[in-house]
Each structure stands twice: as C-alpha cells, then as structure tokens.
Amino acid sequence: MGEAVEFFHCNGFSKVNQIIIEENGCDDSWFEEEIDVDLKWSFALNKVLHKGTSEYQDIALLDTKRFGKVLVIDGKMQSAEVDEFIYHECLIHPALLCHPNPKSVFIMGGGEGSAAREALRHKSINKVVMCDIDKEVVDFCKKHLTANHEAFCNTKLDLVINDAKAELEEREEKFDIIVGDLADPVEGGPCYQLYTKSFYEKILKPKLNNNGIFVTQAGPGGVFSHKEVFSSIYNTLVQVFKYVLAYTAHVPSFADTWGWVMASDQPFCIEAGKIDKKIAERIDGELLYLNGASFVSSTILNKTVAKTLKNESHVYTEDDARFIHGQGVAYRR
C-alpha cells in the first residue's frame, strides 16, 4: 500500500523513508503512507509500539487512534486491529468452506498469526503449518497482538521460521489448503517470487492433495489499482490451475478494495445457502464479516475489473514481475 513511512507533527516536521518520533510538546503524531507518487493516506497515532529493520524488511507496530494496533511492513499497511477480520475471513474461510473436508493447512507468511487463528476455527483441521521468513515480525506480533495469543499456543499450530518456498520444497507431506498470506510484491521485497508461475507450477501445486485448494491475497483490487498486481496474479494462476476464482472486499484501513484469488483443479461450489450451512456446521464461533451471500457477491466484480481480468495477458515471472508502489529493504541497499 505504499513506500514512505512518515510522521507529521504540529510544527510540520516530517522525514521520508523512515519512521521518526519528534518530541515537540504537541499531542498529534500521524502515520503517513505513500500509496502512489501523488496519493497519500494518513491517520493519527497514540504511540509507536515497535520500529526497526530486520534482515528482510522494515517493521513497525503502531497504536493508532482510528484503527487500533497496526502492522506496517516496508512502509505498507499490512493489518489493522479493528478491521483485520475482513481481510482474514476473506483469505481463509472461502477456501476451507469450498473444500469437502479440510484437514491440513500450510500458510505462507502470516507472521501476525491472524490467518492461523481463522484456520484453527475449523473443527476438521488437524494441523496448521505457518511458515514466515521473518522471526522478528513473528516475535513482536506474538508479544503485542493479544487477539492471537490463543492461536500461537494451539497445539495444532506448527510455527516455522523459514522461506516458504524452501519449506515447501523440503517437506514431503501434502496439504489440503495452501494459503498465501504474503506481503505485497514490492521491488526489493522478500516475497515477490512466491507470486510467479514457476513457483505455483513446480513447487506449490505438487504439494496440494487431491481436491486441494490454493488461495492468496492478491493486492489492491480497486477500479484504479487492480492493474498493479491483482489482474496479473489472477492470470498467472489461470495458466496453472483449471478453476480460478477472483473476489474482492473493501478494507477500510487499506483505503481501497482488496483482492484475493482462489485456485484448484476441482470446481468450486459457491451457492450462498450451502456456504451458510457449512459455516454453521464447521466453524467455531460466529464470523463477523463473511456469510454465503457476501462471499457470492464478492465474486461479482465490477465491469472495469472484470474486463481487465478477462483480457489480462501478463504472466508473473521472476524476470517479468509487477510490483505495487513502494520499495523493499533489498532495493534500497
């Protein structure tokens, strides 16, 4: 969702490309994200809980006035406490509900623990592997994001610190569901190769069981932003799987409509009544956002986005990647 992380104070002071806090006697500090060269998104802070640079990315955990605790990676909003349920319910539940009887889940990324939390709500699940490359992100999310403490302590969770690509290659087991809860592809970021055709085709797909489903977050899906990576990720998966389904939802803290793509070699059943029945039977507790009707409606894309996806020709490769606006640590080095 952007490149620069800035804090503006009552004296107008700001500094680009790093996180700063200026003690100047005023109460107003703001987080600012550069969504594009001519577009910024900002909101007021209570305080900064953590900031630093790991081996792989810039990291910040912010306590905001509007959105609660917010995780920011490489200057880009990743998750906000008050509305992360929208993103994570849309990421996790459609794939698990479309599978006839999911037992195992592999999550690529997901360091904050919310994707694992939602997967573990399914009564049929015996094992969730969460593989994140950045131990520092995982450690401070375990410490600060209290909503996910129970998930991190669940005996069904296998938490692995590793590159997800390497981890999938090394494991002999297969999974019913594989989830891409990765940071958005930015130039110099740690994970753009996990959006490529070669990765999907040669590494990921062979690790799916029969009836297996892959789902990934796919970046901004708005009228003006969907061509950045959403349409390319969709078209790339069309080259690898028989059935590919794109869907979107508005996430307030992202200041945009967001996109996900689900793929399988088995057809999807997305009848609203059947989905509601499965939600009632399979999931512990009540979902806050997703039901059968809302999921079905999320798959009906507006004319502009639907036309782009239909006509998209770009295939995501290591040598011909698309990135959203922003830069990762490796680029800046």
Side-chain angles (χ1 to χ4, degrees), residues 7-9 21-22 26-31 43-46 65:
F7 291 92
F8 283 84
H9 305 277
I21 287 293
E22 180 86 355
C26 71
D27 295 329
D28 295 329
S29 298
W30 290 74
F31 164 79
F43 41 87
L45 298 177
N46 291 317
K65 295 181 184 295

Side-chain angles (χ1 to χ4, degrees), residues 237-285:
L237 286 166
V238 166
Q239 314 305 310
V240 178
F241 291 91
K242 292 181 181 178
Y243 301 93
V244 180
L245 184 66
Y247 56 101
T248 62
H250 178 66
V251 181
S253 62
F254 289 177
D256 204 349
T257 298
W258 214 251
W260 299 265
V261 182
M262 192 162 64
S264 179
D265 281 342
Q266 302 298 323
F268 301 117
C269 175
I270 57 168
E271 185 179 326
K274 291 183 179 179
I275 291 174
D276 283 333
K277 187 172 185 292
K278 289 180 180 179
I279 289 173
E281 293 173 348
R282 294 186 181 187
I283 298 176
D284 286 326

